[in-house]
Amino acid sequence: MAVTTPTETMVAEVMAELAALDDPKARAVNERHGDDHGVNLSKLRAVAKRLKTQQELACRLWETGDTAARLLALLICRPKAFEHDALDAMLREARTPKVHDWLVNYVVKKNPHSEELRQAWSADPDPVVASAGWALTTERVAKKPEGLDLVGLLDVIEAEMKDAPDRLQWAMNHCLAQIGIEHAEYRTRALAIGERLEVLKDYPTSPGCTSPFAPIWITEMVRRQNAE
């Protein structure tokens, strides 16, 4: 007779709780953005707050393949506990945009292998994987630009962003904007690239939100910095 471990019992309980939280209306909204789950993220965070950090449970929840369970796993894991190859595998398994974004922002950025992964992913032929490399590069542009070839990054963005697939294009555009915002010496060129390529120029923007079109984004953020 198989013995159920405490972790297996916990996984079953958590999965049942997530199933109970699934809201068809939330699922419909999320599915329009490519995310196949229906759990309100505030409620998901409340579950994570109650569970606190549990690395073994996080790994088991990730293994279920369920999107809500994976998001919860990313909130209760220990980011520094993952090895390089594990994070690489997880990124390639991260089917949905929200899981991909949370993995990069909540886990990989805090992991000691983040710089190695940034370099490897940026050169990956899979555009979704490459977008994670660009997201990590954008983080460095803002917080630790020493050693980055900003001119080289602008060259690549200028040559490749216009025709890049959506996720990769979005990540490159963010990097372009961040260079323009944070580095005054490259601002004129960043603005010019944005104006010429017109990437996300017509992106629908809610009232009170800043457009992701790089020239508008850069100009607005610099204005706010100068107003402080």
Side-chain angles (χ1 to χ4, degrees), residues 87 107-119 121 136:
L87 289 174
V107 181
V108 180
K109 285 181 179 179
K110 300 174 184 176
N111 184 275
H113 300 292
S114 62
E115 179 58 19
E116 296 165 58
L117 291 167
R118 181 189 76 82
Q119 294 182 33
W121 288 343
L136 294 171

Side-chain angles (χ1 to χ4, degrees), residues 187 221-228:
R187 188 169 298 146
M221 297 310 292
V222 171
R223 183 193 67 76
R224 290 184 195 179
Q225 288 174 358
N226 292 337
E228 290 175 359

Side-chain angles (χ1 to χ4, degrees), residues 42-190:
S42 296
K43 292 180 180 178
L44 191 77
R45 291 180 189 279
V47 175
K49 190 174 182 181
R50 189 187 78 237
L51 291 172
K52 300 186 171 64
T53 302
Q54 297 192 51
Q55 181 68 8
E56 184 182 356
L57 177 60
C59 292
R60 293 297 302 278
L61 288 172
W62 180 272
E63 288 168 4
T64 67
D66 178 81
T67 294
R70 284 186 163 183
L71 291 172
L72 181 59
L74 296 172
L75 293 174
I76 66 169
C77 72
R78 283 201 308 276
K80 293 179 181 177
F82 293 102
E83 294 299 328
H84 176 287
D85 291 351
L87 289 174
D88 183 69
M90 289 168 73
L91 186 84
R92 294 172 194 279
E93 293 170 9
R95 297 171 296 104
T96 67
K98 187 65 72 178
V99 172
H100 180 278
D101 291 344
W102 280 22
L103 175 61
V104 172
N105 287 299
Y106 297 169
V107 181
V108 180
K109 285 181 179 179
K110 300 174 184 176
N111 184 275
H113 300 292
S114 62
E115 179 58 19
E116 296 165 58
L117 291 167
R118 181 189 76 82
Q119 294 182 33
W121 288 343
S122 295
D124 199 277
D126 182 332
V128 176
V129 174
S131 74
W134 278 92
L136 294 171
T137 299
T138 301
E139 173 90 348
R140 274 203 56 189
V141 166
K143 297 184 177 178
K144 194 180 173 185
E146 300 80 14
L148 281 182
D149 178 6
L150 297 179
V151 173
L153 289 173
L154 290 173
D155 289 344
V156 174
I157 291 167
E158 189 166 23
E160 300 178 12
M161 181 171 74
K162 181 79 171 177
D163 299 316
D166 288 352
R167 297 286 296 279
L168 180 54
Q169 184 184 70
W170 189 273
M172 283 182 160
N173 184 71
H174 191 180
C175 190
L176 173 66
Q178 206 68 54
I179 291 172
I181 292 163
E182 300 289 345
H183 301 278
E185 66 271 34
Y186 300 116
R187 188 169 298 146
T188 299
R189 186 180 175 200

